[in-house]
Amino acid sequence: MSTTPHDNHQRDASQDADPSRDETSSDPAQIEADIARHRAELGETVDELTERLDVKKQAQHKIESVKKQATDTVQATKNRANAGVGEVKARLHSDDHRDVLSVLAPALGAVAAVVLIIGVARRVRR
């Protein structure tokens, strides 16, 4: 049986890769330990690839991310709307009623934004 230059190159490269190898590497216990280590590394690699290629899991992560982002946006908009309502109440209780409409417009806009975001969030869930 003859060996090809490619086979010799692989054998030489594997010997060059680990200069600490010596006669003890032919010890069965060492070989078994190397095999166990390689199996563990391959198992981790397979697990990582399986997770990366799991389309359902990736889609679920994306859905959760979008839901969290929508929830955060709704909460921020609610906070702004509440602040606007507080400002409207303060101005309504003041003696100067001339700018009530200038205050009501942003407050109504904030309420409309909340309603719009809730509608979009419901549509995304379907």
Side-chain angles (χ1 to χ4, degrees):
M1 180 171 133
S2 66
T3 59
T4 63
H6 181 68
D7 292 336
N8 288 336
H9 178 65
Q10 279 184 329
R11 185 171 46 241
D12 292 340
S14 66
Q15 289 171 350
D16 291 341
D18 190 3
S20 63
R21 272 193 181 188
D22 54 10
E23 281 20 281
T24 60
S25 65
S26 64
D27 179 32
Q30 179 67 30
I31 293 172
E32 288 177 11
D34 287 344
I35 290 172
R37 182 176 49 81
H38 287 296
R39 280 185 183 157
E41 289 173 358
L42 286 172
E44 291 172 5
T45 303
V46 168
D47 290 345
E48 185 178 328
L49 287 172
T50 301
E51 185 160 331
R52 286 184 182 182
L53 296 174
D54 188 357
V55 176
K56 287 183 180 179
K57 187 178 259 186
Q58 295 297 328
Q60 187 64 32
H61 286 305
K62 186 65 175 176
I63 288 170
E64 290 171 6
S65 171
V66 169
K67 281 182 180 179
K68 183 181 182 329
Q69 185 178 12
T71 302
D72 292 345
T73 303
V74 167
Q75 188 60 43
T77 305
K78 282 181 182 179
N79 292 341
R80 279 185 271 151
N82 287 336
V85 168
E87 185 179 335
V88 169
K89 285 181 181 179
R91 287 197 181 180
L92 285 175
H93 287 67
S94 74
D95 292 333
D96 187 16
H97 296 290
R98 288 179 288 164
D99 60 349
V100 171
L101 289 178
S102 66
V103 175
L104 283 177
L108 291 175
V111 170
V114 169
V115 170
L116 180 66
I117 290 171
I118 290 171
V120 169
R122 286 185 179 171
R123 184 172 290 220
V124 167
R125 288 184 190 172
R126 290 182 190 175

